[in-house]
Amino acid sequence: MTPQNKGTDLPRPDPSITQPASVSRAAVSYLDLPAARALSADSPHILGAVGFGMPRPDFLPPGCPFIAAPLSPAGGGAMVELWQSSTPCRSINFGSITGACSDHLAFGAITLAETRTIHLEVTAEAAYLAIFDFLDAAGFSAPIRFWNYLTEITQEEEGLERYHRFNIGRHRAFSARLREELPPAASGVGGTYGSSVIYFLAAHAPARPVENPRQVSAFAYPPLYGPRSPSFSRASVAHLGSDAMIFVSGTASIVGHESRHASDLQSQAAETIENLRAVIGATGITDFDHWAFKIYLRNPAHRGAVELALIRAFSPACQRLYLHGEICRRELLVEIEAFCTATPPMS
Ligand code: 3EB
């Protein structure tokens, strides 16, 4: 985003170069506690763990990064989002960021140090600056995916919505430190308890940003949605050798820049799935493995209806994690993000 450092100057991975099989990829698993405990035995390959409805579990080895997200599973209980690398990881703690990296990927997380007297744009800018310091120290130049879970996201803080204040702070930090011209994929969702957190994945080369032809780019939203537009791309495609990791941002019932079907769950779910299809189509990739979806619901009772629509549209074999969260526009009931790897079949 800095003018002297346009995306076109940055090295792009050449997809025609076949890299050795040791290039590390990340896989995500959404796990209940017994399954998370079982997978934690493989600690050398854990990049990071995110807890929903739970504090750090005692079975997680001390070196593994963990962050407690301020959202709970829609059905109650506790779930863990576990990012694992295909190659060994080592932990990196720098400043207020807890993280880990493999040879090709880094994970990091920060709990926002919010106080009653400091506005969210200040806290958010400081958090993102700390993230860029972490990335510099770890030697990972390119963030490829951000998750932003902000408590009381639609509440006003002295005349400005907290989400809009967050966008100001994030924009300031990206203007100062993001090397790419365009921001990577992200999710922005309201937490329902606890502290705001940001977590992220990064690589050595930038991911390819992808937009949704049905939607105005979030970074180009008109000022109606706050003094600074949200800094995220609709999807990021990280090419790793001949494989790709596809990160689809939090996607909602927005067409153009306007929310559609206010308070109509079925129609919002259908519109959101249309948007997912459109942005996935825009990646140009067709050889996907199974998708992993995270579904954010303003009302946890909406889970069944969204589940039905989602498994009709995608394979029932996909992973699905339903969370109770507040979407950053009050009229929106559901937001869905997606991740998958694409591995061309061996010839
Ligand atoms: C939207 O399309 C819905 O601020 O990082 C989705 C994904 C949304 C990411 C963010 C916000 C963010 O505008 C909200």
Side-chain angles (χ1 to χ4, degrees):
M1 277 190 140
T2 46
Q4 69 273 27
N5 217 340
K6 293 287 177 203
T8 45
D9 297 331
L10 290 161
R12 294 266 171 196
D14 180 354
S16 69
I17 299 171
T18 310
Q19 299 202 6
S22 64
V23 169
S24 54
R25 292 195 286 141
V28 74
S29 306
Y30 305 136
L31 307 162
D32 61 15
L33 286 177
R37 179 189 292 272
L39 271 193
S40 293
D42 186 26
S43 59
H45 292 99
I46 298 178
L47 273 168
V50 184
F52 295 93
M54 57 182 279
R56 184 183 182 98
D58 55 8
F59 57 75
L60 202 65
C64 290
F66 176 85
I67 193 121
L71 291 87
S72 303
M79 292 289 285
V80 181
E81 172 179 341
L82 199 69
W83 285 94
Q84 286 175 294
S85 165
S86 56
T87 57
C89 302
R90 63 185 179 86
S91 60
I92 321 169
N93 294 295
F94 189 85
S96 38
I97 312 290
T98 175
C101 71
S102 67
D103 44 359
H104 294 89
L105 290 166
F107 170 95
I110 180 171
T111 302
L112 270 59
E114 293 207 71
T115 70
R116 288 194 191 288
T117 50
I118 306 173
H119 284 312
L120 184 51
E121 67 266 33
V122 177
T123 318
E125 181 183 11
Y128 269 101
L129 293 176
I131 290 169
F132 284 110
D133 289 344
F134 168 92
L135 293 174
D136 287 348
F140 284 83
S141 59
I144 58 177
R145 185 38 162 126
F146 284 109
W147 287 265
N148 305 286
Y149 295 144
L150 310 169
T151 52
E152 306 186 321
I153 193 166
T154 57
Q155 275 191 24
E156 285 197 0
E157 233 172 53
E158 283 181 56
L160 194 57
E161 260 183 53
R162 276 168 55 77
Y163 177 58
H164 297 168
R165 291 189 181 275
F166 169 79
N167 281 326
I168 294 170
R170 173 170 59 177
H171 187 275
R172 279 195 199 129
F174 279 15
S175 299
R177 303 287 294 277
L178 186 71
R179 291 187 172 89
E180 293 77 47
E181 190 178 5
L182 296 171
S187 294
V189 182
T192 53
Y193 66 93
S195 303
S196 302
V197 304
I198 302 172
Y199 67 98
F200 56 92
L201 290 166
H204 293 302
R208 173 167 62 90
V210 176
E211 287 304 304
N212 183 340
R214 303 181 80 235
Q215 296 185 307
V216 171
S217 297
F219 49 78
Y221 279 168
L224 187 61
Y225 306 102
R228 281 291 179 200
S229 44
S231 309
F232 70 95
S233 290
R234 298 297 180 183
S236 287
V237 180
H239 291 279
L240 298 162
S242 59
D243 298 346
M245 298 195 304
I246 300 100
F247 299 95
V248 178
S249 292
T251 302
S253 178
I254 296 173
V255 178
H257 58 75
E258 290 172 334
S259 303
R260 291 285 168 92
H261 322 293
S263 74
D264 173 350
L265 177 74
Q266 291 289 351
S267 304
Q268 285 198 18
E271 199 76 73
T272 300
I273 288 168
E274 272 307 296
N275 278 329
L276 288 170
R277 285 189 191 287
V279 69
I280 290 166
T283 65
I285 298 171
T286 51
D287 55 344
F288 301 109
D289 300 328
H290 288 306
W291 288 96
F293 295 102
K294 266 159 80 191
I295 304 97
Y296 304 97
L297 300 171
R298 183 177 297 282
N299 178 352
H302 289 163
R303 175 186 171 143
V306 177
E307 169 83 349
L308 215 62
L310 196 59
I311 59 174
R312 276 198 190 125
F314 294 90
S315 161
C318 58
Q319 292 191 77
R320 300 175 299 284
L321 173 57
Y322 289 85
L323 298 167
H324 178 205
E326 282 174 35
I327 323 306
C328 59
R329 294 185 186 185
R330 290 185 180 124
E331 65 279 12
L332 293 177
L333 301 170
V334 56
E335 180 175 316
I336 304 179
E337 65 176 54
F339 167 78
C340 84
T341 52
T343 317
M346 302 291 278
S347 48

